[in-house]
Amino acid sequence: MSGFGHKDDSSPVKKTNTDDAQSMLQMAIAAYESGQLKKAQELCVEVVKGSPRDSFALGLLASIEKQLGNRTSASELFEASLRLNPDNANFHHNYAGLLIDQDLNKAHYHSSRAISLLPNQAIYLERLGYIQWQKGDLGKALESNHRAIELNPKLSDTYMNLGGIYQELGDLDQALEATHKSLELNADNAYALMNLGIIFKQLGSLNNALDATIKSLKLKADNADAYMNLGSIFQELGHLDEALDATLKSLDLKADNADAYINLGSIFQELGYLDQALDATLKSLELQPDNRDAVYQKGVILYVLNRFGEALH
């Protein structure tokens, strides 16, 4: 059986094309699972053309589109598949993964639904734990990730999640232990290396933080958050030119990152470029008006610029 479970036998398929459709669907699954995404897409599109109400084919095509980065079509296909068959746990799980960056509440619904259908799937619990962490429900996030580990102690991402959760809880020793465990299981986990850099920075071990963050970027060079972290580490090390370059690179990759603009303002301030520092800080506040750090930084810069009246407001 594939990772998608059994095909939904209730999905109507044109009787004259049943054998061909089944054969193409199995070929599409094999291509998908071997990483031949374009071939899988072509085969699955043909199946859907002949059987547009085949919920399994729609869900498989949605999963392929998701992997190809076609988020809009993937979302539409998941919705169509799950309307026809709301009991496919794997498609709920896959759809939750697509929604994490768009709608955490909806992602939480689909992840929870997957677990209600198949409660003992470690990868489902890991994803739910990640979503709960991102929603700020740290207690439930810990519970879900620990349950995932009980079911499968070899999931690198589960330990990575735990590291991030413990970090937010202020337990840096456990955060470090969990993140190291994640990397023991998968040494090429770029996000775990990025998190390791953050933990080392909080522990005051800046050289280790720098090494981990650079390793992370070698594995995933388009990670805006890692470049932002790199800039922050360079700033604490007193390497302001490198800090500026890394932070600007972060903003090239993700232009709406309010935290990166705060950091940019702080770096410009240290460099003595106060007008640029103010512009960057105001941009941060434009993106995130309630950020107290940016409000404070704005006041400090205005005070240094002798704009005392504005600094008080």
Side-chain angles (χ1 to χ4, degrees), residues 232 234-240 243 263-274 277 301:
S232 180
F234 275 133
Q235 185 180 8
E236 288 206 22
L237 285 168
H239 303 162
L240 296 182
N263 293 356
L264 182 63
S266 176
I267 295 164
F268 275 135
Q269 184 182 353
E270 282 199 54
L271 286 166
Y273 303 144
L274 297 181
I301 296 167

Side-chain angles (χ1 to χ4, degrees), residues 120-248:
N120 293 320
Q121 291 291 316
I123 58 171
Y124 293 2
L125 286 160
E126 180 275 320
R127 178 157 293 166
L128 179 62
Y130 177 81
I131 293 167
Q132 289 165 331
W133 169 28
Q134 298 307 301
K135 283 171 63 67
D137 196 343
L138 302 184
K140 287 185 178 178
L142 279 177
E143 180 183 346
S144 295
N145 280 286
H146 279 299
R147 284 178 60 203
I149 287 171
E150 288 174 6
L151 291 165
N152 183 354
K154 300 295 185 182
L155 282 179
S156 171
D157 285 350
T158 309
Y159 289 99
M160 179 179 69
N161 293 349
L162 284 175
I165 296 162
Y166 282 127
Q167 180 195 355
E168 288 199 27
L169 290 168
D171 190 340
L172 295 182
D173 289 337
Q174 288 218 64
L176 188 62
E177 181 181 346
T179 307
H180 275 309
K181 179 64 177 178
S182 173
L183 289 163
E184 283 178 20
L185 294 167
N186 180 8
D188 293 333
N189 188 329
Y191 291 105
L193 282 163
M194 180 184 73
N195 292 352
L196 182 64
I198 295 170
I199 295 164
F200 275 135
K201 180 174 178 286
Q202 289 183 319
L203 288 167
S205 184
L206 295 180
N207 288 325
N208 284 331
L210 184 63
D211 288 344
T213 307
I214 289 172
K215 285 179 183 177
S216 172
L217 284 165
K218 285 180 179 177
L219 292 166
K220 186 168 177 57
D222 62 348
N223 188 336
D225 289 338
Y227 273 108
M228 181 182 69
N229 297 342
L230 182 64
S232 180
I233 295 164
F234 275 133
Q235 185 180 8
E236 288 206 22
L237 285 168
H239 303 162
L240 296 182
D241 290 337
E242 291 92 336
L244 182 61
D245 288 343
T247 307
L248 289 172

Side-chain angles (χ1 to χ4, degrees), residues 1-308:
M1 187 177 77
S2 81
F4 297 97
H6 291 293
K7 183 184 179 300
D8 175 22
D9 294 329
S10 66
S11 300
V13 180
K14 291 182 179 179
K15 298 298 183 183
T16 56
N17 295 327
T18 298
D19 291 342
D20 286 344
Q22 287 296 308
S23 176
M24 290 179 71
L25 196 56
Q26 291 304 316
M27 290 169 63
I29 292 170
Y32 176 82
E33 293 183 341
S34 65
Q36 301 176 69
L37 297 179
K38 285 293 186 181
K39 181 180 178 181
Q41 181 190 45
E42 292 170 4
L43 289 164
C44 216
V45 164
E46 289 303 311
V47 175
V48 169
K49 282 180 182 177
S51 306
R53 291 181 58 80
D54 186 325
S55 67
F56 185 86
L58 288 165
L60 175 57
L61 183 56
S63 300
I64 295 165
E65 293 290 320
K66 172 177 174 282
Q67 290 294 100
L68 288 169
N70 302 327
R71 301 175 70 91
T72 300
S73 59
S75 181
E76 292 170 354
L77 287 161
F78 276 128
E79 292 282 351
S81 173
L82 292 168
R83 276 196 301 271
L84 291 165
N85 176 18
D87 293 333
N88 189 306
N90 200 65
F91 293 151
H92 280 290
H93 170 72
N94 287 353
Y95 193 18
L98 178 70
L99 290 165
I100 284 172
D101 294 331
Q102 303 172 16
D103 186 336
L104 275 177
N105 289 328
K106 195 171 180 180
H108 185 271
Y109 166 77
H110 284 284
S111 186
S112 299
R113 180 78 175 115
I115 290 167
S116 72
L117 291 163
L118 287 175
N120 293 320
Q121 291 291 316
I123 58 171
Y124 293 2
L125 286 160
E126 180 275 320
R127 178 157 293 166
L128 179 62
Y130 177 81
I131 293 167
Q132 289 165 331
W133 169 28
Q134 298 307 301
K135 283 171 63 67
D137 196 343
L138 302 184
K140 287 185 178 178
L142 279 177
E143 180 183 346
S144 295
N145 280 286
H146 279 299
R147 284 178 60 203
I149 287 171
E150 288 174 6
L151 291 165
N152 183 354
K154 300 295 185 182
L155 282 179
S156 171
D157 285 350
T158 309
Y159 289 99
M160 179 179 69
N161 293 349
L162 284 175
I165 296 162
Y166 282 127
Q167 180 195 355
E168 288 199 27
L169 290 168
D171 190 340
L172 295 182
D173 289 337
Q174 288 218 64
L176 188 62
E177 181 181 346
T179 307
H180 275 309
K181 179 64 177 178
S182 173
L183 289 163
E184 283 178 20
L185 294 167
N186 180 8
D188 293 333
N189 188 329
Y191 291 105
L193 282 163
M194 180 184 73
N195 292 352
L196 182 64
I198 295 170
I199 295 164
F200 275 135
K201 180 174 178 286
Q202 289 183 319
L203 288 167
S205 184
L206 295 180
N207 288 325
N208 284 331
L210 184 63
D211 288 344
T213 307
I214 289 172
K215 285 179 183 177
S216 172
L217 284 165
K218 285 180 179 177
L219 292 166
K220 186 168 177 57
D222 62 348
N223 188 336
D225 289 338
Y227 273 108
M228 181 182 69
N229 297 342
L230 182 64
S232 180
I233 295 164
F234 275 133
Q235 185 180 8
E236 288 206 22
L237 285 168
H239 303 162
L240 296 182
D241 290 337
E242 291 92 336
L244 182 61
D245 288 343
T247 307
L248 289 172
K249 178 65 175 179
S250 172
L251 287 165
D252 283 342
L253 293 166
K254 186 178 178 183
D256 60 349
N257 189 334
D259 289 336
Y261 275 108
I262 294 176
N263 293 356
L264 182 63
S266 176
I267 295 164
F268 275 135
Q269 184 182 353
E270 282 199 54
L271 286 166
Y273 303 144
L274 297 181
D275 290 332
Q276 293 95 322
L278 182 60
D279 288 344
T281 306
L282 291 174
K283 180 63 176 178
S284 175
L285 283 167
E286 179 186 320
L287 293 166
Q288 198 175 68
D290 296 330
N291 191 310
R292 293 183 180 181
D293 291 336
V295 170
Y296 175 77
Q297 184 165 289
K298 171 190 167 186
V300 170
I301 296 167
L302 287 168
Y303 185 84
V304 175
L305 285 167
N306 295 321
R307 293 162 61 174
F308 303 118

